[in-house]
Amino acid sequence: MANNGTPTTHSLPLCAARFPTLAAALEYASRGETGYNFYNGRGQLYCKLPYSELYAQAQELASRLVDLGVERGSRMVLVAETCPDFVRFFYACQFAGIVPVPVPAAVHLGGREAYIQQLRKLIQSAKPELAMAPADYLEMLETACEGLPVQHVGGAEYFDQQSQNSQPLEPLGAHELAYLQYTSGSTRFPRGVMIKQKAVMHNLNGILQHGQEMNENDRCVSWLPYYHDMGLVGLVLAPMASQRSVDYIGTRDFAMRPRLWLNLMSETGGTVSFSPPFGYELCARRVRPSDLERLDLSAWRVAGVGAETIRPSSLSNFANALQEAGFDRRAFLACYGMAETSLAISFAPLERDVHIEYVDADRLGHEGIAVTVDPMIEDRRVNRFVRCGKSIPDLDMEIRDTDGDVVPEKQCGTIFVRGPSVMSGYFNEPEITAEVLSEDGWLNTGDMGYLVDGEIIITGRQKDMIIINGRNIWPQDLEFLAECQPEVRPEDASAFSVTDDEGQEVAVMVVQCRQADPAVRRDLAERLRASVQAEMGIDCRIDLVPPHTLPRTSSGKLSRSGAKKDYLQRLDIKRVVDKSSAKRVAA
Amino acid sequence: MKNDFDLLALIQRELQQIKPEIQTITADTDLVADLSLDSVQVLEMCTAIEDELDVSIPVNRLGDVRTAGQLIAVLQDITST
């Protein structure tokens, strides 16, 4: 290997996560030569951490954590920057009988206060005894913990200086938690998904054996954040549990220099990498003609794509731009999953490219039935959806209508899943857990979709559905129309419905607008309204707001429910102001 | 080592590359509110400045930065150490 990271191949036979716990998986991986490799913002390797070393380091640190005397099953919050300390602490927790809780490491320009508030909400929810942050985040973590009963808050050195306990370690067992995952829910009301060891091990086996068919020549590359389920389970735990090497660049470094990802794939001969669609889109926009001669992406076997809605165009832009560098579009692997099922629910078949379903948008909207159409021939409004494959083994999936009855294929409904990968519930939230997880183990995913040939197609989030005059309107459709305007970028629009004074449901779209000129703004709002009117046949209130206004979930997805709440608040303030100015006029 | 004036000129130049409609900025210009930069544009600006000055801006320092003057103070701080 040119860059001297851990090797891709070694003599240890591949075992696809057939272990009872993460601790046992790391013990097996430590017998080989592979491991984690960390690259800086210039794409240079700055740390290689073979699983053998990680295993020894994690056990040593675990004995120090045990000596702090916290109760078994206590939580430890880890500000999850992409760095060796995170993985060392994550696995140390496994050996110490402490449940790690990865939390976001991402501060925006001028966003210090917001970040501290977010951390504080997470800490109030997870109730940890211990909390660790890398140097850059430590002061903010300390501020966030002020007045909260966290026993030990510190940087890595603080915990490394503690004395070692001489008792034998008792790693977290198969029926204990593996970690708490704070991906789902909004930043204001975070929910900690409880994942047991046996759940995550089941899911890892499904990912490795069924989804990716991980083999002895595979090597992973990732820039996904460690605090996100896809980053943590898919690209930290899965490679370790299959004894493969991984090359990491920081999420922020990727966002600043997206081509680093491609460089790393090319340099290390990476075969497996995952990204939400926007990562592929960013690369497609930034790639330069000179890159194409330099890059060799021909080894890239699995280019995973996971996100709520996969927009086919972002993937085809990427494939077209990088075809010359040897990228094969059959590498695209659409998948579906969520933190509540550890990570994966389904994978499309390998080596297929994305399979797009074209369905009659009116019939889907009116009747909830997916009728396939040929967009080249038929003159109808068409929805494009990506097939996300069949569920992984032992995970049952069914689609139910609003009465709770299972519906046949091609009929839209709510997606339910059941099986060993499903969470035990939300931490300290029995009511919210009972709302989504039935006693017989079925999880209401909250997502809408339909099955075709046993494959799942996601059409949207149930709670986000807009129903106007008995017709189902997908908010994504409205947002897509907004993004068609030159001033509007992806993720600048959030659509939902509110009830007006007459009790009628009205569509609203909040759109982030960078233009200050009132005439330009009026023009944009008019164009948007007209376009929604023309395409969907409904009236839609357009609310233009400054950039960064739209609220996001902790995983970075736009939160439509959050946008709706903020909109109603703005409306209330406006009403009060209008009333008081009306009074003044009357007086 | 550059003085504050050089750094302000540099920031303005890089911002105009990203958003040509941006005119003269001052130390008091609020990068997010006045210039309506989104997070991708902020990172683009940081990338350009990092490349120009051959420095790395620590992520935690950006949390306190709202104005061009505050960004200059951060840049002075990291180039002096």
Side-chain angles (χ1 to χ4, degrees):
Chain A
M1 187 73 37
N3 59 26
N4 295 319
T6 58
T8 299
T9 55
H10 57 163
S11 57
L12 186 71
L14 191 153
C15 175
R18 297 264 182 215
F19 306 103
T21 64
L22 290 172
L26 183 58
E27 189 278 318
Y28 182 74
S30 75
R31 302 181 207 172
E33 295 161 48
T34 53
Y36 295 139
N37 302 280
F38 299 85
Y39 295 76
N40 63 20
R42 311 265 170 205
Q44 297 150 334
L45 180 75
Y46 72 88
C47 175
K48 81 167 181 177
L49 188 54
Y51 296 127
S52 54
E53 279 177 38
L54 177 61
Y55 178 60
Q57 290 178 11
Q59 284 187 308
E60 190 207 304
L61 177 58
S63 71
R64 298 182 197 278
L65 297 181
V66 167
D67 209 52
L68 293 170
V70 297
E71 219 171 285
R72 189 172 182 83
S74 297
R75 273 82 46 215
M76 180 169 201
V77 158
L78 302 174
V79 173
E81 195 177 43
T82 302
C83 64
D85 274 338
F86 173 82
V87 291
R88 198 161 59 88
F89 274 77
F90 185 89
Y91 291 112
C93 286
Q94 303 295 323
F95 290 111
I98 295 169
V99 179
V101 186
V103 299
V107 192
H108 300 297
L109 195 67
R112 189 188 134 87
E113 284 313 310
Y115 177 68
I116 290 171
Q117 279 313 311
Q118 183 189 3
L119 275 187
R120 196 171 169 82
K121 291 261 185 206
L122 290 168
I123 290 161
Q124 282 168 330
S125 166
K127 299 186 170 42
E129 300 285 347
L130 312 172
M132 189 283 284
D136 279 356
Y137 292 88
L138 183 55
E139 194 263 331
M140 290 183 275
L141 176 68
E142 285 168 343
T143 311
C145 286
E146 264 169 30
L148 299 178
V150 188
Q151 280 187 33
H152 297 272
V153 183
E157 316 72 40
Y158 171 81
F159 293 98
D160 284 327
Q161 281 162 10
Q162 302 298 323
S163 54
Q164 276 182 275
N165 188 291
S166 55
Q167 298 291 313
L169 294 168
E170 289 176 58
L172 291 167
H175 294 278
E176 292 181 281
L177 293 183
Y179 55 86
L180 279 191
Q181 174 77 57
Y182 276 94
T183 306
S184 99
S186 69
T187 44
R188 294 186 61 196
F189 303 100
R191 288 175 304 190
V193 171
M194 294 190 285
I195 297 292
K196 284 188 175 162
Q197 299 277 343
K198 56 177 185 165
V200 71
M201 295 318 297
H202 172 264
N203 205 247
L204 287 170
N205 177 258
I207 292 168
L208 293 163
Q209 213 164 345
H210 167 91
Q212 302 175 2
E213 295 179 18
M214 197 71 109
N215 70 52
E216 317 230 303
N217 297 312
D218 276 326
R219 185 180 188 95
C220 309
V221 174
S222 178
W223 53 264
L224 298 172
Y226 283 0
Y227 50 85
H228 190 272
D229 50 355
M230 187 155 63
L232 178 71
V233 181
L235 276 306
V236 177
L237 303 183
M240 183 281 294
S242 56
Q243 311 86 42
R244 295 306 102 197
S245 286
V246 202
D247 301 296
Y248 294 115
I249 50 171
T251 305
R252 181 166 167 266
D253 292 327
F254 165 74
M256 288 176 83
R257 297 176 178 86
R259 292 151 65 240
L260 278 177
W261 180 29
L262 306 179
N263 292 348
L264 205 52
M265 287 299 298
S266 173
E267 258 175 48
T268 66
T271 60
V272 175
S273 200
F274 277 69
S275 167
F278 87 87
Y280 294 103
E281 214 166 75
L282 202 55
C283 281
R285 278 211 303 270
R286 297 283 178 82
V287 75
R288 299 170 192 170
S290 60
D291 294 339
L292 299 174
E293 296 158 28
R294 200 169 41 79
L295 292 173
D296 178 5
L297 302 177
S298 57
W300 199 342
R301 183 177 73 78
V302 173
V305 202
E308 235 176 81
T309 324
I310 302 171
R311 210 163 284 145
S313 61
S314 31
L315 300 184
S316 57
N317 289 345
F318 180 88
N320 294 338
L322 288 150
Q323 197 172 354
E324 260 184 76
F327 181 80
D328 183 344
R329 64 180 68 226
R330 284 174 304 175
F332 282 132
L333 178 65
C335 48
Y336 168 53
M338 57 183 56
E340 283 84 344
T341 61
S342 300
L343 173 62
I345 294 174
S346 73
F347 285 93
L350 291 166
E351 293 174 33
R352 185 175 75 174
D353 190 3
V354 279
H355 186 304
I356 301 165
E357 289 274 308
Y358 301 90
V359 299
D360 185 321
D362 289 316
R363 295 205 59 188
L364 192 69
H366 287 287
E367 303 158 51
I369 295 172
V371 180
T372 315
V373 292
D374 185 340
M376 305 302 281
I377 300 169
E378 288 165 83
D379 181 26
R380 297 168 171 280
R381 289 198 316 113
V382 171
N383 283 133
R384 289 168 180 77
F385 297 118
V386 171
R387 282 196 186 196
C388 292
K390 296 179 181 177
S391 61
I392 61 171
D394 304 321
L395 206 61
D396 303 325
M397 180 160 56
E398 58 186 41
I399 313 293
R400 300 185 192 170
D401 62 18
T402 44
D403 298 327
D405 295 324
V406 176
V407 298
E409 284 215 335
K410 295 205 161 196
Q411 190 155 349
C412 234
T414 306
I415 304 166
F416 283 74
V417 294
R418 180 173 68 175
S421 293
V422 173
M423 67 168 179
S424 325
Y426 295 116
F427 184 67
N428 275 348
E429 301 276 10
E431 290 93 18
I432 303 177
T433 300
E435 281 172 24
V436 300
L437 194 58
S438 73
E439 278 178 24
D440 58 353
W442 283 99
L443 171 77
N444 180 345
T445 65
D447 289 335
M448 296 287 285
Y450 63 91
L451 288 167
V452 55
D453 304 328
E455 291 194 50
I456 187 71
I457 280 96
I458 316 298
T459 57
R461 298 285 296 193
Q462 182 180 41
K463 62 178 190 297
D464 293 335
M465 180 71 77
I466 301 169
I467 304 171
I468 308 268
N469 301 328
R471 244 184 84 200
N472 294 344
I473 310 279
W474 273 266
Q476 292 95 319
D477 291 355
L478 297 179
E479 290 155 10
F480 180 70
L481 290 176
E483 289 168 18
C484 290
Q485 301 296 328
E487 300 95 328
V488 183
R489 298 185 197 169
E491 306 226 301
D492 260 347
S494 197
F496 47 84
S497 63
V498 296
T499 313
D500 70 10
D501 296 338
E502 276 107 39
Q504 295 288 321
E505 207 167 336
V506 189
V508 178
M509 183 150 55
V510 180
V511 181
Q512 297 185 151
C513 176
R514 288 163 193 79
Q515 309 286 338
D517 185 348
V520 178
R521 293 171 68 93
R522 249 195 324 275
D523 175 54
L524 173 62
E526 277 312 312
R527 253 183 294 139
L528 284 171
R529 240 182 123 157
S531 141
V532 173
Q533 186 67 253
E535 292 277 334
M536 318 294 300
I538 59 165
D539 191 20
C540 181
R541 293 185 195 164
I542 305 293
D543 184 27
L544 297 182
V545 297
H548 303 297
T549 306
L550 289 175
R552 289 175 183 275
T553 65
S554 62
S555 63
K557 290 178 192 165
L558 285 181
S559 163
R560 295 196 185 98
S561 55
K564 174 173 175 170
K565 200 180 280 173
D566 291 356
Y567 169 79
L568 290 172
Q569 246 165 28
R570 281 196 296 277
L571 213 59
D572 277 344
I573 292 167
K574 193 171 168 288
R575 274 197 189 124
V576 173
V577 173
D578 286 351
K579 263 186 202 158
S580 60
S581 55
K583 268 185 206 149
R584 270 201 303 278
V585 171
Chain B
M1 182 82 187
K2 290 178 186 292
N3 64 33
D4 288 4
F5 187 76
D6 294 337
L7 290 174
L8 186 65
L10 169 67
I11 293 169
Q12 178 167 316
R13 199 165 62 236
E14 300 302 350
L15 284 172
Q16 284 166 342
Q17 291 282 324
I18 297 161
K19 280 185 100 165
E21 68 267 31
I22 289 176
Q23 314 237 314
T24 314
I25 62 165
T26 69
D28 294 328
T29 302
D30 186 314
L31 298 171
V32 176
D34 296 341
L35 303 181
S36 306
L37 293 182
D38 63 26
S39 56
V40 173
Q41 290 170 326
V42 166
L43 286 175
E44 261 181 74
M45 174 190 73
C46 292
T47 311
I49 293 171
E50 285 192 359
D51 289 348
E52 181 76 24
L53 300 179
D54 196 22
V55 293
S56 171
I57 305 172
V59 55
N60 58 324
R61 302 295 296 270
L62 288 181
D64 289 319
V65 170
R66 293 206 69 95
T67 66
Q70 289 165 341
L71 179 58
I72 288 167
V74 168
L75 293 174
Q76 288 293 16
D77 192 36
I78 55 178
T79 47
S80 67
T81 50

